[in-house]
mmCIF file of all heavy atoms in Angstrom:
data_model
loop_
_atom_site.group_PDB
_atom_site.id
_atom_site.type_symbol
_atom_site.label_atom_id
_atom_site.label_comp_id
_atom_site.label_asym_id
_atom_site.label_seq_id
_atom_site.Cartn_x
_atom_site.Cartn_y
_atom_site.Cartn_z
ATOM 1 N N MET A 98 1.478 5.313 -3.900
ATOM 2 C CA MET A 98 1.287 5.042 -2.490
ATOM 3 C C MET A 98 2.504 5.535 -1.725
ATOM 4 O O MET A 98 3.634 5.349 -2.147
ATOM 5 C CB MET A 98 1.129 3.550 -2.251
ATOM 6 C CG MET A 98 -0.111 2.927 -2.798
ATOM 7 S SD MET A 98 -1.037 2.292 -1.427
ATOM 8 C CE MET A 98 -2.653 2.402 -2.105
ATOM 9 N N GLY A 99 2.284 6.090 -0.582
ATOM 10 C CA GLY A 99 3.364 6.602 0.227
ATOM 11 C C GLY A 99 3.841 5.601 1.260
ATOM 12 O O GLY A 99 3.263 4.524 1.434
ATOM 13 N N LYS A 100 4.910 5.975 1.927
ATOM 14 C CA LYS A 100 5.464 5.104 2.956
ATOM 15 C C LYS A 100 4.463 4.872 4.073
ATOM 16 O O LYS A 100 4.346 3.760 4.582
ATOM 17 C CB LYS A 100 6.744 5.703 3.534
ATOM 18 C CG LYS A 100 7.919 5.641 2.603
ATOM 19 C CD LYS A 100 9.214 6.018 3.291
ATOM 20 C CE LYS A 100 9.235 7.443 3.736
ATOM 21 N NZ LYS A 100 10.524 7.875 4.274
ATOM 22 N N SER A 101 3.725 5.917 4.440
ATOM 23 C CA SER A 101 2.790 5.775 5.559
ATOM 24 C C SER A 101 1.650 4.810 5.224
ATOM 25 O O SER A 101 1.201 4.046 6.092
ATOM 26 C CB SER A 101 2.225 7.133 5.964
ATOM 27 O OG SER A 101 1.548 7.736 4.890
ATOM 28 N N LYS A 102 1.206 4.818 3.976
ATOM 29 C CA LYS A 102 0.150 3.878 3.586
ATOM 30 C C LYS A 102 0.666 2.447 3.603
ATOM 31 O O LYS A 102 -0.044 1.526 3.987
ATOM 32 C CB LYS A 102 -0.408 4.230 2.208
ATOM 33 C CG LYS A 102 -1.262 5.471 2.214
ATOM 34 C CD LYS A 102 -1.887 5.727 0.872
ATOM 35 C CE LYS A 102 -2.728 6.993 0.923
ATOM 36 N NZ LYS A 102 -3.395 7.256 -0.351
ATOM 37 N N GLY A 103 1.918 2.274 3.206
ATOM 38 C CA GLY A 103 2.525 0.953 3.257
ATOM 39 C C GLY A 103 2.656 0.451 4.684
ATOM 40 O O GLY A 103 2.371 -0.712 4.983
ATOM 41 N N LYS A 104 3.083 1.342 5.582
ATOM 42 C CA LYS A 104 3.210 0.986 7.000
ATOM 43 C C LYS A 104 1.848 0.624 7.586
ATOM 44 O O LYS A 104 1.718 -0.328 8.347
ATOM 45 C CB LYS A 104 3.810 2.135 7.800
ATOM 46 C CG LYS A 104 5.283 2.252 7.714
ATOM 47 C CD LYS A 104 5.940 1.196 8.560
ATOM 48 C CE LYS A 104 7.429 1.457 8.639
ATOM 49 N NZ LYS A 104 8.138 0.309 9.187
ATOM 50 N N ALA A 105 0.823 1.403 7.220
ATOM 51 C CA ALA A 105 -0.523 1.146 7.731
ATOM 52 C C ALA A 105 -1.009 -0.223 7.270
ATOM 53 O O ALA A 105 -1.617 -0.969 8.050
ATOM 54 C CB ALA A 105 -1.477 2.235 7.271
ATOM 55 N N LYS A 106 -0.737 -0.555 6.023
ATOM 56 C CA LYS A 106 -1.157 -1.857 5.494
ATOM 57 C C LYS A 106 -0.417 -2.983 6.219
ATOM 58 O O LYS A 106 -0.999 -4.030 6.506
ATOM 59 C CB LYS A 106 -0.918 -1.929 3.997
ATOM 60 C CG LYS A 106 -1.558 -3.133 3.355
ATOM 61 C CD LYS A 106 -1.647 -2.962 1.855
ATOM 62 C CE LYS A 106 -2.693 -3.894 1.304
ATOM 63 N NZ LYS A 106 -3.794 -3.225 0.706
ATOM 64 N N GLN A 107 0.848 -2.757 6.538
ATOM 65 C CA GLN A 107 1.611 -3.758 7.280
ATOM 66 C C GLN A 107 1.006 -3.979 8.673
ATOM 67 O O GLN A 107 0.863 -5.116 9.121
ATOM 68 C CB GLN A 107 3.065 -3.315 7.438
ATOM 69 C CG GLN A 107 3.870 -3.394 6.175
ATOM 70 C CD GLN A 107 5.283 -2.915 6.389
ATOM 71 O OE1 GLN A 107 6.026 -3.525 7.141
ATOM 72 N NE2 GLN A 107 5.648 -1.813 5.744
ATOM 73 N N MET A 108 0.650 -2.888 9.340
ATOM 74 C CA MET A 108 0.068 -2.991 10.681
ATOM 75 C C MET A 108 -1.270 -3.710 10.639
ATOM 76 O O MET A 108 -1.555 -4.571 11.474
ATOM 77 C CB MET A 108 -0.082 -1.602 11.298
ATOM 78 C CG MET A 108 1.245 -0.976 11.664
ATOM 79 S SD MET A 108 1.155 0.742 12.211
ATOM 80 C CE MET A 108 -0.177 0.727 13.371
ATOM 81 N N LYS A 109 -2.093 -3.365 9.646
ATOM 82 C CA LYS A 109 -3.394 -4.012 9.499
ATOM 83 C C LYS A 109 -3.206 -5.513 9.258
ATOM 84 O O LYS A 109 -3.910 -6.345 9.834
ATOM 85 C CB LYS A 109 -4.156 -3.386 8.329
ATOM 86 C CG LYS A 109 -5.506 -4.005 8.064
ATOM 87 C CD LYS A 109 -6.161 -3.367 6.846
ATOM 88 C CE LYS A 109 -7.388 -4.136 6.432
ATOM 89 N NZ LYS A 109 -7.881 -3.720 5.135
ATOM 90 N N GLY A 110 -2.242 -5.843 8.419
ATOM 91 C CA GLY A 110 -1.968 -7.239 8.127
ATOM 92 C C GLY A 110 -1.492 -7.991 9.352
ATOM 93 O O GLY A 110 -1.873 -9.143 9.578
ATOM 94 N N LYS A 111 -0.657 -7.348 10.164
ATOM 95 C CA LYS A 111 -0.157 -7.985 11.382
ATOM 96 C C LYS A 111 -1.298 -8.263 12.350
ATOM 97 O O LYS A 111 -1.355 -9.334 12.964
ATOM 98 C CB LYS A 111 0.910 -7.100 12.037
ATOM 99 C CG LYS A 111 1.569 -7.739 13.229
ATOM 100 C CD LYS A 111 2.334 -8.984 12.830
ATOM 101 C CE LYS A 111 3.100 -9.555 14.000
ATOM 102 N NZ LYS A 111 3.747 -10.823 13.660
ATOM 103 N N MET A 112 -2.218 -7.307 12.476
ATOM 104 C CA MET A 112 -3.370 -7.511 13.356
ATOM 105 C C MET A 112 -4.233 -8.659 12.843
ATOM 106 O O MET A 112 -4.697 -9.496 13.620
ATOM 107 C CB MET A 112 -4.196 -6.229 13.470
ATOM 108 C CG MET A 112 -3.515 -5.169 14.293
ATOM 109 S SD MET A 112 -4.559 -3.743 14.640
ATOM 110 C CE MET A 112 -4.686 -2.988 13.024
ATOM 111 N N LYS A 113 -4.439 -8.712 11.539
ATOM 112 C CA LYS A 113 -5.250 -9.772 10.951
ATOM 113 C C LYS A 113 -4.576 -11.130 11.136
ATOM 114 O O LYS A 113 -5.237 -12.120 11.460
ATOM 115 C CB LYS A 113 -5.485 -9.499 9.462
ATOM 116 C CG LYS A 113 -6.509 -10.409 8.835
ATOM 117 C CD LYS A 113 -6.730 -10.084 7.374
ATOM 118 C CE LYS A 113 -7.659 -8.917 7.208
ATOM 119 N NZ LYS A 113 -8.060 -8.708 5.808
ATOM 120 N N GLU A 114 -3.261 -11.170 10.941
ATOM 121 C CA GLU A 114 -2.527 -12.427 11.125
ATOM 122 C C GLU A 114 -2.646 -12.900 12.574
ATOM 123 O O GLU A 114 -2.917 -14.074 12.835
ATOM 124 C CB GLU A 114 -1.057 -12.247 10.763
ATOM 125 C CG GLU A 114 -0.250 -13.518 10.978
ATOM 126 C CD GLU A 114 1.235 -13.337 10.811
ATOM 127 O OE1 GLU A 114 1.721 -12.195 10.685
ATOM 128 O OE2 GLU A 114 1.939 -14.359 10.811
ATOM 129 N N THR A 115 -2.446 -11.975 13.514
ATOM 130 C CA THR A 115 -2.509 -12.317 14.935
ATOM 131 C C THR A 115 -3.895 -12.813 15.314
ATOM 132 O O THR A 115 -4.035 -13.819 16.016
ATOM 133 C CB THR A 115 -2.116 -11.104 15.797
ATOM 134 O OG1 THR A 115 -0.792 -10.697 15.423
ATOM 135 C CG2 THR A 115 -2.145 -11.427 17.269
ATOM 136 N N ALA A 116 -4.930 -12.124 14.844
ATOM 137 C CA ALA A 116 -6.301 -12.537 15.137
ATOM 138 C C ALA A 116 -6.587 -13.910 14.529
ATOM 139 O O ALA A 116 -7.201 -14.767 15.172
ATOM 140 C CB ALA A 116 -7.290 -11.512 14.605
ATOM 141 N N GLY A 117 -6.140 -14.116 13.299
ATOM 142 C CA GLY A 117 -6.360 -15.397 12.646
ATOM 143 C C GLY A 117 -5.697 -16.535 13.399
ATOM 144 O O GLY A 117 -6.294 -17.606 13.589
ATOM 145 N N ARG A 118 -4.487 -16.308 13.860
ATOM 146 C CA ARG A 118 -3.787 -17.348 14.626
ATOM 147 C C ARG A 118 -4.499 -17.609 15.950
ATOM 148 O O ARG A 118 -4.648 -18.752 16.376
ATOM 149 C CB ARG A 118 -2.345 -16.952 14.882
ATOM 150 C CG ARG A 118 -1.474 -17.058 13.651
ATOM 151 C CD ARG A 118 -0.023 -16.709 13.987
ATOM 152 N NE ARG A 118 0.796 -16.661 12.810
ATOM 153 C CZ ARG A 118 1.419 -17.731 12.288
ATOM 154 N NH1 ARG A 118 1.298 -18.909 12.863
ATOM 155 N NH2 ARG A 118 2.155 -17.605 11.213
ATOM 156 N N ALA A 119 -4.938 -16.550 16.624
ATOM 157 C CA ALA A 119 -5.613 -16.690 17.910
ATOM 158 C C ALA A 119 -6.929 -17.452 17.766
ATOM 159 O O ALA A 119 -7.305 -18.227 18.642
ATOM 160 C CB ALA A 119 -5.863 -15.318 18.523
ATOM 161 N N LEU A 120 -7.606 -17.232 16.654
ATOM 162 C CA LEU A 120 -8.888 -17.889 16.422
ATOM 163 C C LEU A 120 -8.753 -19.241 15.724
ATOM 164 O O LEU A 120 -9.739 -19.940 15.527
ATOM 165 C CB LEU A 120 -9.789 -16.978 15.573
ATOM 166 C CG LEU A 120 -10.170 -15.645 16.206
ATOM 167 C CD1 LEU A 120 -10.872 -14.760 15.187
ATOM 168 C CD2 LEU A 120 -11.046 -15.861 17.429
ATOM 169 N N GLY A 121 -7.537 -19.567 15.326
ATOM 170 C CA GLY A 121 -7.323 -20.817 14.600
ATOM 171 C C GLY A 121 -7.799 -20.737 13.164
ATOM 172 O O GLY A 121 -8.061 -21.756 12.527
ATOM 173 N N ASP A 122 -7.925 -19.532 12.640
ATOM 174 C CA ASP A 122 -8.395 -19.295 11.269
ATOM 175 C C ASP A 122 -7.172 -19.036 10.387
ATOM 176 O O ASP A 122 -6.761 -17.906 10.179
ATOM 177 C CB ASP A 122 -9.342 -18.092 11.271
ATOM 178 C CG ASP A 122 -9.996 -17.838 9.927
ATOM 179 O OD1 ASP A 122 -9.555 -18.433 8.929
ATOM 180 O OD2 ASP A 122 -10.933 -17.030 9.886
ATOM 181 N N MET A 123 -6.600 -20.116 9.868
ATOM 182 C CA MET A 123 -5.368 -19.982 9.094
ATOM 183 C C MET A 123 -5.558 -19.205 7.793
ATOM 184 O O MET A 123 -4.658 -18.455 7.412
ATOM 185 C CB MET A 123 -4.740 -21.353 8.833
ATOM 186 C CG MET A 123 -4.161 -21.981 10.109
ATOM 187 S SD MET A 123 -3.142 -20.855 11.117
ATOM 188 C CE MET A 123 -1.769 -20.580 10.041
ATOM 189 N N PRO A 124 -6.680 -19.321 7.092
ATOM 190 C CA PRO A 124 -6.844 -18.466 5.907
ATOM 191 C C PRO A 124 -6.766 -16.976 6.255
ATOM 192 O O PRO A 124 -6.176 -16.193 5.521
ATOM 193 C CB PRO A 124 -8.216 -18.853 5.370
ATOM 194 C CG PRO A 124 -8.399 -20.268 5.799
ATOM 195 C CD PRO A 124 -7.758 -20.321 7.175
ATOM 196 N N MET A 125 -7.347 -16.596 7.373
ATOM 197 C CA MET A 125 -7.282 -15.197 7.803
ATOM 198 C C MET A 125 -5.845 -14.822 8.148
ATOM 199 O O MET A 125 -5.369 -13.732 7.775
ATOM 200 C CB MET A 125 -8.166 -14.961 9.030
ATOM 201 C CG MET A 125 -8.106 -13.556 9.581
ATOM 202 S SD MET A 125 -8.942 -13.435 11.167
ATOM 203 C CE MET A 125 -10.267 -12.339 10.747
ATOM 204 N N ALA A 126 -5.135 -15.700 8.845
ATOM 205 C CA ALA A 126 -3.743 -15.440 9.205
ATOM 206 C C ALA A 126 -2.881 -15.291 7.947
ATOM 207 O O ALA A 126 -2.043 -14.394 7.856
ATOM 208 C CB ALA A 126 -3.204 -16.562 10.087
ATOM 209 N N ASN A 127 -3.121 -16.156 6.972
ATOM 210 C CA ASN A 127 -2.355 -16.083 5.727
ATOM 211 C C ASN A 127 -2.669 -14.806 4.948
ATOM 212 O O ASN A 127 -1.784 -14.205 4.343
ATOM 213 C CB ASN A 127 -2.624 -17.309 4.859
ATOM 214 C CG ASN A 127 -2.035 -18.566 5.460
ATOM 215 O OD1 ASN A 127 -1.080 -18.517 6.218
ATOM 216 N ND2 ASN A 127 -2.618 -19.700 5.138
ATOM 217 N N GLU A 128 -3.917 -14.399 4.969
ATOM 218 C CA GLU A 128 -4.304 -13.142 4.312
ATOM 219 C C GLU A 128 -3.587 -11.963 4.968
ATOM 220 O O GLU A 128 -3.116 -11.050 4.291
ATOM 221 C CB GLU A 128 -5.820 -12.959 4.396
ATOM 222 C CG GLU A 128 -6.328 -11.764 3.640
ATOM 223 C CD GLU A 128 -7.848 -11.644 3.694
ATOM 224 O OE1 GLU A 128 -8.539 -12.676 3.820
ATOM 225 O OE2 GLU A 128 -8.336 -10.503 3.604
ATOM 226 N N GLY A 129 -3.491 -12.023 6.290
ATOM 227 C CA GLY A 129 -2.780 -10.973 7.021
ATOM 228 C C GLY A 129 -1.308 -10.920 6.640
ATOM 229 O O GLY A 129 -0.734 -9.845 6.463
ATOM 230 N N ARG A 130 -0.686 -12.082 6.486
ATOM 231 C CA ARG A 130 0.719 -12.118 6.071
ATOM 232 C C ARG A 130 0.871 -11.536 4.670
ATOM 233 O O ARG A 130 1.831 -10.829 4.394
ATOM 234 C CB ARG A 130 1.264 -13.544 6.118
ATOM 235 C CG ARG A 130 1.512 -14.018 7.537
ATOM 236 C CD ARG A 130 2.207 -15.357 7.620
ATOM 237 N NE ARG A 130 3.414 -15.446 6.829
ATOM 238 C CZ ARG A 130 4.619 -15.031 7.211
ATOM 239 N NH1 ARG A 130 4.765 -14.474 8.389
ATOM 240 N NH2 ARG A 130 5.669 -15.190 6.432
ATOM 241 N N GLY A 131 -0.084 -11.828 3.802
ATOM 242 C CA GLY A 131 -0.050 -11.273 2.453
ATOM 243 C C GLY A 131 -0.153 -9.757 2.468
ATOM 244 O O GLY A 131 0.550 -9.067 1.722
ATOM 245 N N GLU A 132 -1.024 -9.230 3.313
ATOM 246 C CA GLU A 132 -1.169 -7.779 3.432
ATOM 247 C C GLU A 132 0.120 -7.144 3.951
ATOM 248 O O GLU A 132 0.497 -6.057 3.510
ATOM 249 C CB GLU A 132 -2.335 -7.424 4.348
ATOM 250 C CG GLU A 132 -3.686 -7.632 3.711
ATOM 251 C CD GLU A 132 -4.834 -7.171 4.587
ATOM 252 O OE1 GLU A 132 -4.614 -6.392 5.544
ATOM 253 O OE2 GLU A 132 -5.962 -7.601 4.312
ATOM 254 N N GLN A 133 0.782 -7.827 4.863
ATOM 255 C CA GLN A 133 2.052 -7.311 5.371
ATOM 256 C C GLN A 133 3.081 -7.215 4.257
ATOM 257 O O GLN A 133 3.801 -6.221 4.143
ATOM 258 C CB GLN A 133 2.596 -8.213 6.471
ATOM 259 C CG GLN A 133 1.820 -8.141 7.771
ATOM 260 C CD GLN A 133 2.359 -9.110 8.777
ATOM 261 O OE1 GLN A 133 3.466 -8.928 9.275
ATOM 262 N NE2 GLN A 133 1.591 -10.134 9.091
ATOM 263 N N MET A 134 3.143 -8.249 3.425
ATOM 264 C CA MET A 134 4.108 -8.245 2.321
ATOM 265 C C MET A 134 3.780 -7.162 1.301
ATOM 266 O O MET A 134 4.678 -6.483 0.792
ATOM 267 C CB MET A 134 4.146 -9.613 1.653
ATOM 268 C CG MET A 134 4.831 -10.664 2.497
ATOM 269 S SD MET A 134 5.019 -12.215 1.625
ATOM 270 C CE MET A 134 3.626 -13.108 2.272
ATOM 271 N N THR A 135 2.492 -6.975 1.032
ATOM 272 C CA THR A 135 2.075 -5.924 0.109
ATOM 273 C C THR A 135 2.446 -4.553 0.662
ATOM 274 O O THR A 135 2.959 -3.697 -0.057
ATOM 275 C CB THR A 135 0.550 -5.998 -0.141
ATOM 276 O OG1 THR A 135 0.233 -7.281 -0.682
ATOM 277 C CG2 THR A 135 0.089 -4.911 -1.094
ATOM 278 N N GLY A 136 2.192 -4.358 1.943
ATOM 279 C CA GLY A 136 2.537 -3.092 2.585
ATOM 280 C C GLY A 136 4.026 -2.831 2.557
ATOM 281 O O GLY A 136 4.467 -1.706 2.310
ATOM 282 N N ARG A 137 4.822 -3.863 2.767
ATOM 283 C CA ARG A 137 6.276 -3.709 2.734
ATOM 284 C C ARG A 137 6.737 -3.330 1.329
ATOM 285 O O ARG A 137 7.593 -2.460 1.161
ATOM 286 C CB ARG A 137 6.943 -5.014 3.180
ATOM 287 C CG ARG A 137 8.448 -4.974 3.193
ATOM 288 C CD ARG A 137 8.979 -4.099 4.300
ATOM 289 N NE ARG A 137 10.439 -4.149 4.280
ATOM 290 C CZ ARG A 137 11.219 -3.127 4.540
ATOM 291 N NH1 ARG A 137 10.703 -1.973 4.893
ATOM 292 N NH2 ARG A 137 12.517 -3.242 4.478
ATOM 293 N N ALA A 138 6.138 -3.968 0.321
ATOM 294 C CA ALA A 138 6.492 -3.646 -1.067
ATOM 295 C C ALA A 138 6.130 -2.199 -1.391
ATOM 296 O O ALA A 138 6.902 -1.490 -2.051
ATOM 297 C CB ALA A 138 5.787 -4.602 -2.028
ATOM 298 N N GLN A 139 4.975 -1.749 -0.934
ATOM 299 C CA GLN A 139 4.557 -0.364 -1.165
ATOM 300 C C GLN A 139 5.527 0.613 -0.494
ATOM 301 O O GLN A 139 5.891 1.638 -1.071
ATOM 302 C CB GLN A 139 3.147 -0.135 -0.625
ATOM 303 C CG GLN A 139 2.079 -0.818 -1.438
ATOM 304 C CD GLN A 139 0.711 -0.736 -0.786
ATOM 305 O OE1 GLN A 139 0.585 -0.398 0.389
ATOM 306 N NE2 GLN A 139 -0.312 -1.065 -1.549
ATOM 307 N N GLU A 140 5.928 0.268 0.714
ATOM 308 C CA GLU A 140 6.861 1.135 1.443
ATOM 309 C C GLU A 140 8.201 1.218 0.714
ATOM 310 O O GLU A 140 8.763 2.299 0.540
ATOM 311 C CB GLU A 140 7.059 0.591 2.857
ATOM 312 C CG GLU A 140 7.973 1.432 3.700
ATOM 313 C CD GLU A 140 8.230 0.830 5.068
ATOM 314 O OE1 GLU A 140 7.766 -0.286 5.360
ATOM 315 O OE2 GLU A 140 8.928 1.490 5.845
ATOM 316 N N LEU A 141 8.705 0.081 0.268
ATOM 317 C CA LEU A 141 9.984 0.064 -0.443
ATOM 318 C C LEU A 141 9.900 0.816 -1.768
ATOM 319 O O LEU A 141 10.840 1.520 -2.148
ATOM 320 C CB LEU A 141 10.441 -1.373 -0.680
ATOM 321 C CG LEU A 141 10.863 -2.141 0.578
ATOM 322 C CD1 LEU A 141 11.123 -3.602 0.236
ATOM 323 C CD2 LEU A 141 12.062 -1.500 1.231
ATOM 324 N N ALA A 142 8.776 0.688 -2.463
ATOM 325 C CA ALA A 142 8.596 1.406 -3.721
ATOM 326 C C ALA A 142 8.593 2.914 -3.478
ATOM 327 O O ALA A 142 9.176 3.682 -4.255
ATOM 328 C CB ALA A 142 7.309 0.972 -4.400
ATOM 329 N N ALA A 143 7.946 3.346 -2.414
ATOM 330 C CA ALA A 143 7.907 4.771 -2.087
ATOM 331 C C ALA A 143 9.304 5.288 -1.744
ATOM 332 O O ALA A 143 9.694 6.383 -2.166
ATOM 333 C CB ALA A 143 6.948 5.022 -0.933
ATOM 334 N N LYS A 144 10.065 4.484 -1.001
ATOM 335 C CA LYS A 144 11.430 4.891 -0.654
ATOM 336 C C LYS A 144 12.288 5.003 -1.912
ATOM 337 O O LYS A 144 13.075 5.949 -2.052
ATOM 338 C CB LYS A 144 12.056 3.890 0.313
ATOM 339 C CG LYS A 144 11.550 4.000 1.729
ATOM 340 C CD LYS A 144 12.234 2.984 2.631
ATOM 341 C CE LYS A 144 11.720 3.077 4.050
ATOM 342 N NZ LYS A 144 12.376 2.092 4.921
ATOM 343 N N ALA A 145 12.155 4.046 -2.813
ATOM 344 C CA ALA A 145 12.928 4.073 -4.056
ATOM 345 C C ALA A 145 12.560 5.298 -4.881
ATOM 346 O O ALA A 145 13.431 5.966 -5.452
ATOM 347 C CB ALA A 145 12.693 2.804 -4.850
ATOM 348 N N SER A 146 11.281 5.605 -4.937
ATOM 349 C CA SER A 146 10.818 6.765 -5.685
ATOM 350 C C SER A 146 11.401 8.057 -5.105
ATOM 351 O O SER A 146 11.819 8.949 -5.841
ATOM 352 C CB SER A 146 9.293 6.817 -5.648
ATOM 353 O OG SER A 146 8.821 7.958 -6.308
ATOM 354 N N GLU A 147 11.452 8.140 -3.793
ATOM 355 C CA GLU A 147 12.031 9.315 -3.131
ATOM 356 C C GLU A 147 13.509 9.460 -3.464
ATOM 357 O O GLU A 147 13.991 10.557 -3.708
ATOM 358 C CB GLU A 147 11.851 9.217 -1.618
ATOM 359 C CG GLU A 147 10.436 9.453 -1.147
ATOM 360 C CD GLU A 147 10.275 9.265 0.345
ATOM 361 O OE1 GLU A 147 11.278 9.048 1.065
ATOM 362 O OE2 GLU A 147 9.133 9.320 0.822
ATOM 363 N N ARG A 148 14.215 8.338 -3.494
ATOM 364 C CA ARG A 148 15.650 8.369 -3.811
ATOM 365 C C ARG A 148 15.879 8.848 -5.232
ATOM 366 O O ARG A 148 16.796 9.611 -5.496
ATOM 367 C CB ARG A 148 16.265 6.991 -3.616
ATOM 368 C CG ARG A 148 16.420 6.615 -2.179
ATOM 369 C CD ARG A 148 17.165 5.301 -2.034
ATOM 370 N NE ARG A 148 17.110 4.881 -0.642
ATOM 371 C CZ ARG A 148 16.894 3.656 -0.252
ATOM 372 N NH1 ARG A 148 16.731 2.688 -1.137
ATOM 373 N NH2 ARG A 148 16.866 3.349 1.022
ATOM 374 N N VAL A 149 15.031 8.390 -6.158
ATOM 375 C CA VAL A 149 15.158 8.810 -7.548
ATOM 376 C C VAL A 149 14.915 10.310 -7.662
ATOM 377 O O VAL A 149 15.659 11.021 -8.334
ATOM 378 C CB VAL A 149 14.184 8.031 -8.459
ATOM 379 C CG1 VAL A 149 14.107 8.643 -9.835
ATOM 380 C CG2 VAL A 149 14.605 6.567 -8.543
ATOM 381 N N LYS A 150 13.881 10.790 -6.996
ATOM 382 C CA LYS A 150 13.569 12.214 -7.035
ATOM 383 C C LYS A 150 14.712 13.046 -6.466
ATOM 384 O O LYS A 150 15.037 14.112 -6.990
ATOM 385 C CB LYS A 150 12.275 12.508 -6.292
ATOM 386 C CG LYS A 150 11.041 12.035 -7.030
ATOM 387 C CD LYS A 150 9.780 12.294 -6.238
ATOM 388 C CE LYS A 150 8.570 11.722 -6.961
ATOM 389 N NZ LYS A 150 7.355 11.854 -6.155
ATOM 390 N N LYS A 151 15.333 12.563 -5.379
ATOM 391 C CA LYS A 151 16.452 13.298 -4.768
ATOM 392 C C LYS A 151 17.663 13.313 -5.700
ATOM 393 O O LYS A 151 18.368 14.304 -5.771
ATOM 394 C CB LYS A 151 16.837 12.670 -3.432
ATOM 395 C CG LYS A 151 15.892 13.005 -2.336
ATOM 396 C CD LYS A 151 16.334 12.411 -1.000
ATOM 397 C CE LYS A 151 15.346 12.699 0.090
ATOM 398 N NZ LYS A 151 15.756 12.103 1.367
ATOM 399 N N SER A 152 17.892 12.216 -6.394
ATOM 400 C CA SER A 152 19.064 12.153 -7.273
ATOM 401 C C SER A 152 18.876 12.980 -8.535
ATOM 402 O O SER A 152 19.846 13.372 -9.184
ATOM 403 C CB SER A 152 19.368 10.702 -7.665
ATOM 404 O OG SER A 152 18.384 10.185 -8.510
ATOM 405 N N GLU A 153 17.638 13.306 -8.903
ATOM 406 C CA GLU A 153 17.361 14.117 -10.089
ATOM 407 C C GLU A 153 17.597 15.599 -9.825
ATOM 408 O O GLU A 153 17.676 16.377 -10.745
ATOM 409 C CB GLU A 153 15.920 13.901 -10.548
ATOM 410 C CG GLU A 153 15.686 12.531 -11.153
ATOM 411 C CD GLU A 153 14.227 12.303 -11.525
ATOM 412 O OE1 GLU A 153 13.355 13.087 -11.098
ATOM 413 O OE2 GLU A 153 13.964 11.328 -12.231
ATOM 414 N N ARG A 154 17.672 15.969 -8.571
ATOM 415 C CA ARG A 154 17.845 17.386 -8.230
ATOM 416 C C ARG A 154 19.217 17.867 -8.473
ATOM 417 O O ARG A 154 20.199 17.446 -8.615
ATOM 418 C CB ARG A 154 17.509 17.621 -6.756
ATOM 419 C CG ARG A 154 16.044 17.401 -6.481
ATOM 420 C CD ARG A 154 15.759 17.705 -5.044
ATOM 421 N NE ARG A 154 14.429 17.209 -4.744
ATOM 422 C CZ ARG A 154 13.945 17.096 -3.544
ATOM 423 N NH1 ARG A 154 14.660 17.417 -2.500
ATOM 424 N NH2 ARG A 154 12.741 16.649 -3.330
#
């Protein structure tokens, strides 16, 4: 997964969290927070992978 996919997942999660809070649907809000964390992890993994590739050159 690339950085952009991680960012997209974070944005989707933020929208879901916001909608869940606005509607009073806490399970939806919590799911959105989980998606944000997953997206952040994907982004960090992609950054780490890029650093490793650069250091191998």
